[in-house]
Amino acid sequence: MATTNLPKPSSFDRTLASARSTMMFSEVARLAVDSFRASKTRFLLTMLGMVIGSMSIILVATLGSTGKQYALDQLTSIGPNKVELQYGGGNISGPENTSTPDYMTLDDLHAVIDQVPGIVASSPMLEYHDNVSLGGGITKQATLLGVSPEYRIVRNLVVVSGRFFDDQDELAHEKVAVIVKPFAEDLYGNSREAVGKTISIKGIPFVIIGVFREAFDTYGNSEISDHTMLVPYPVVRYFTGTNTLKEIFFTMRSASMVVPASDHILEIVRSRHYAGSVYTAVTLTDLLTSMAKIADMLTIVLTLGAGITMIVSGVGIMNSMLANVQSRLKEIGIRKALGATSREIRMQFLTEAVFLSLSGGIIGTILGLAIPFTLGLLTPFKIPINPWSVVFSLGSSVLVGVLFGTLPANRAARLDPVQTLKYE
């Protein structure tokens, strides 16, 4: 006897067979898949907005994380372990009611080095302003900073040409100078031409032995300007005629030691001066923390802005689902006539909306992750990927599906089966 091959029933047919009993979620999911297959083009176009929205969230969060990491790296290049001790004010009263500033001295520097563990480099700083003579009657305004050889380590300076002066130069009081790169280019055209040249300060010749730059552009917010010359500290004392210091720099062994060390340094220096004198210890710890908070807040704001795209996509999903309900009135009427409850009808269309939204979200998330991941593989740049952006993207996709799928689902659940069966 010949066997007749009957077509395999669809999930909708299987669901109708058991419509008088409570539907399982697996049956609801199969109905959502069948509905998607029946209108692929419409659902794919509707899903496109969600794909773009999810991808935008991932990319915006990645850009925010990359910008944050870049800014923190630039700030860290100044010296994350640096402690800058500054004199802020306060006078010493003398005879005849005269008063003098209570500056720091080299003795304070040595006392801190002896009592604070973990210091790996330190430098005093004397500042002196004057015109330098280039010969032929040409002069330029310059700032002389008297520092120790360890100043290069403390300030993380980059020597672009020549060399930095060393301990031997300092002990011998050599008349040598290391000038900042913009000054070298202004005077001699480029850094290499500056090395070996001689300039005169108050008739004393100085040999330029090197050219340096800051590892990070501070845009004028440091003691180094575009006309700075670094010379050994004992030499600048000849010009200032004093041993007093406005600033002292220290570098700690690790970043974790910076905060306790700065407190200890302040305690030591204050104990060696008058009570009314003001001294401050400046570190990058607070600045780095504040910068990280600002970057995080900007990333959140930009990500929420990208999330607006998902809201627009949600409106598209709602319109598509409303049209879907209208085109399936007879199907809804048959299911209700066979015993399907309003809750089951509502669950079916809500599941379809979430399925549509989440599918777009998953595709958009994959595309959003693929772009920075590919750039990280093909370029030397390290692009950090924020895992929370994935959670936010997928979570938003589900939320959009629920919020904008509720109205079509409720409308389908409230339909009268008699009226729907009459619909042509």
Side-chain angles (χ1 to χ4, degrees), residues 164-176:
F164 207 85
F165 53 83
D166 54 24
D167 293 334
Q168 185 61 38
D169 295 323
E170 185 178 41
L171 290 173
H173 295 191
E174 295 287 350
K175 308 305 185 291
V176 293

Side-chain angles (χ1 to χ4, degrees), residues 13 43 54 77 230 309 335 345 421:
D13 295 329
F43 281 130
S54 300
S77 66
L230 303 180
T309 307
R335 291 192 56 215
I345 298 296
L421 290 174

Side-chain angles (χ1 to χ4, degrees), residues 266-292:
L266 278 178
E267 181 183 349
I268 293 172
V269 173
R270 286 170 179 168
S271 68
R272 297 172 54 84
H273 292 266
Y274 288 87
S277 300
V278 179
Y279 306 94
T280 57
V282 179
T283 69
L284 285 180
T285 304
D286 294 337
L287 181 59
L288 289 172
T289 302
S290 300
M291 181 64 73

Side-chain angles (χ1 to χ4, degrees), residues 42-61:
R42 183 179 66 184
F43 281 130
L44 286 174
L45 292 175
T46 305
M47 189 189 300
L48 182 61
M50 190 59 62
V51 172
I52 296 174
S54 300
M55 186 170 61
S56 299
I57 288 177
I58 299 294
L59 293 178
V60 166

Side-chain angles (χ1 to χ4, degrees), residues 22 268 289 293 326:
T22 302
I268 293 172
T289 302
K293 289 181 179 179
Q326 186 67 26

